[in-house]
Amino acid sequence: MSWDDLSKDELLSRFLQMEERIDKLEEKIAQKDKRIEEQNERIEEQQERIEEQQERIEELETRLRKYENPHTPPSKRRSGTDESPTSQDDEDDDVRTDGGTPGRKDGHNPEWRSPPDPDEEIEVTSDCCPECGDHFDESVGVSPRLVEEVPDPQPPEVTQYNRHRYQCDSCGTETVATHPDCPDEGQFGVNVIAQSALSRYDHRLPYRKITDRFEQLHGLELSGASAWHATERAARAGRCEYEQIRREIQEAEIVHVDETGIKRDGDQAWIWTFRTDEHTLYAVRESRGSDVPAEVLGEDFAGTVICDGWTAYPAFSSTLQRCWAHLLREAEDVASDHEEAEPVYRYLKQMFVGLQSWLETDPDPRARAQMHRACQDGLRSLVERSVTDEPVATLLGKIEGGLDHWLTFVGEPAVSPTNNAAENALREPVVLRKIIGTLRNDRGMFVHETILSLLATWRQQGRNPYEELTRVVHDNEMISREQTVPVVETSG
């Protein structure tokens, strides 16, 4: 039917229907336009958030590269802060280094102190009501409260030992009588010597503050030099136990070794740490060469050395375990800037995680040997790949240089794949380095390595440092001052 055949009323009806349909279509279009506009607004907001997150990611990656480069030990790593590790340590000893907050995580049970047994019980009573003054007949209950208190500061005990001298009629030898509580030299007793050493190396106090502490708590006047001499006597008395620690470490099957810089009279020196499960020994030397582990461990040392990639270690021993923590950090750092290194990092991480899981099954020696060969072949294939980026080639060269030392832990169950134990042992000397600044001379190096070694070993063994120091000073013979020098000469 054509429009010419329609009546006027029919045309008007059709026209109204079309207008109504047009209005509905325009309304739908308007709704779609509104939804599109809202979607565009949401997309813009999401893009803004993505840009903000990208800026945040770049900021965090910058911080990560600053504090978690492959050669930064865990003791210096930080997250979520622009401040240096030094400034944080100085401002607040409770600052967390893992980006978390202080205290236990949610869901962990609290840890309570065990209440001590009272030395004295005092009955606290009242006769009348404090409000109305009415007298009480008897107590209706007891609310006990334990109060722990330390004694008032005690003045020093001053004892004069009249040491009689004798001369032998037969040979003419002159003898001075001795007393177990009378020191061979100086005017300070065992407790003063032990507290001076602990204040310096446990509480990290400067000698000036040590003198203030003695004066405040005991009314004992002594100079900073006197506090230093007392600490030196503790080291000279403990040197025989230091040498015993060294002998124990020389006989160990596995030793973690690491070193970090320290100043000697403003010049560069090094503090080495040698750690086993029960002993820690520090050695301050002007050398960073293989002569130091040769001296401390002995040239005939037959155990396994767990270490980083410093050249002194393979120059000293062929039985090494290179640290995987260093390797993975360096591979991750290179992969963050060079795409060619990404498959290298993934391969290393997958190998390490897979080996850790596999070793938890406690495989037999034959299976360990087979796995060792398979993984070594895998590493050999990894370093043979062709790369164009120089940092990636350098990384592969380091892996190749340690091919004989990356997988020692696979064949030896007691060997750790990381050197975290030695790095943890260096944390205390690093903190002291920030406070001390520099050691003055050979005697300072001697005292530093001796006291640090004794305190660290005693803590490992669960022994009380103060009780052990007083025992050492009381029972051991002090070596002479002429012997208070390190053994190894400077070798550059």
Side-chain angles (χ1 to χ4, degrees), residues 77-148:
R77 282 182 282 157
R78 296 288 190 269
S79 63
T81 177
D82 286 327
E83 298 180 359
S84 68
T86 303
S87 64
Q88 284 202 344
D89 287 338
D90 292 341
E91 291 176 4
D92 190 352
D93 290 338
D94 294 329
V95 173
R96 287 281 295 268
T97 61
D98 57 1
T101 56
R104 289 173 176 261
K105 294 181 180 180
D106 293 339
H108 282 256
N109 294 326
E111 185 172 327
W112 305 101
R113 292 181 59 204
S114 300
D117 295 328
D119 299 312
E120 179 184 8
E121 291 190 20
I122 297 178
E123 302 298 329
V124 183
T125 61
S126 180
D127 294 330
C128 60
C129 177
E131 294 293 332
C132 64
D134 190 19
H135 284 273
F136 294 131
D137 292 332
E138 60 182 14
S139 171
V140 295
V142 176
S143 298
R145 172 176 293 178
L146 284 174
V147 177
E148 298 179 66

Side-chain angles (χ1 to χ4, degrees), residues 156-400:
E157 297 179 357
V158 181
T159 304
Q160 177 173 310
Y161 293 90
N162 297 317
R163 301 179 302 163
H164 290 261
R165 294 183 290 113
Y166 302 89
Q167 188 169 15
C168 179
D169 294 334
S170 300
C171 64
T173 301
E174 187 172 283
T175 301
V176 178
T178 61
H179 189 280
D181 295 330
C182 180
D184 294 334
E185 60 181 83
Q187 68 182 79
F188 298 118
V190 169
N191 292 338
V192 175
I193 294 173
Q195 288 191 34
S196 295
L198 276 181
S199 297
R200 179 62 166 176
Y201 285 97
D202 204 25
H203 307 144
R204 305 170 184 167
L205 295 179
Y207 288 112
R208 174 178 55 83
K209 292 291 187 180
I210 295 175
T211 62
D212 292 342
R213 181 174 179 272
F214 275 113
E215 184 172 2
Q216 292 168 4
L217 294 181
H218 306 290
L220 177 63
E221 295 183 5
L222 71 163
S223 64
S226 297
W228 148 251
H229 285 300
T231 304
E232 184 211 33
R233 290 182 192 123
R236 288 195 282 132
R239 192 64 181 190
C240 61
E241 301 208 11
Y242 175 93
E243 296 298 335
Q244 179 60 36
I245 293 172
R246 176 158 65 171
R247 288 189 289 271
E248 294 286 347
I249 291 178
Q250 286 176 341
E251 297 174 0
E253 295 183 357
I254 300 168
V255 180
H256 294 258
V257 186
D258 202 0
E259 80 292 326
T260 189
I262 195 171
K263 296 295 184 180
R264 179 202 180 277
D265 197 21
D267 296 328
Q268 185 64 59
W270 304 91
I271 181 166
W272 294 69
T273 183
F274 302 83
R275 184 167 187 170
T276 65
D277 290 340
E278 294 188 354
H279 301 87
T280 297
L281 186 127
Y282 297 97
V284 183
R285 300 292 184 266
E286 296 177 6
S287 169
R288 200 189 178 192
S290 59
D291 53 344
V292 180
E295 170 224 341
V296 174
L297 298 178
E299 295 183 355
D300 298 329
F301 178 73
T304 300
V305 173
I306 302 176
C307 58
D308 57 23
W310 178 235
T311 56
Y313 301 118
F316 164 69
S317 174
S318 60
T319 309
L320 304 176
Q321 169 61 59
R322 290 278 295 273
C323 179
W324 273 80
H326 282 79
L327 176 62
L328 293 175
R329 286 201 301 264
E330 184 165 355
E332 183 180 16
D333 187 65
V334 177
S336 65
D337 297 326
H338 303 274
E339 188 175 348
E340 270 191 316
E342 291 180 0
V344 177
Y345 171 62
R346 286 198 302 270
Y347 184 87
L348 292 173
K349 187 171 183 179
Q350 289 172 358
M351 174 181 284
F352 181 70
V353 173
L355 284 173
Q356 292 287 82
S357 299
W358 181 75
L359 290 172
E360 289 179 357
T361 64
D362 193 22
D364 59 43
R366 182 178 179 181
R368 285 177 177 270
Q370 292 175 346
M371 180 63 74
H372 185 281
R373 287 193 296 270
C375 290
Q376 195 163 39
D377 290 342
L379 289 179
R380 190 173 288 108
S381 300
L382 181 69
V383 300
E384 289 175 353
R385 65 174 57 201
S386 177
V387 295
T388 57
D389 288 336
E390 183 178 349
V392 184
T394 301
L395 172 63
L396 293 178
K398 289 184 177 180
I399 298 173
E400 184 177 13

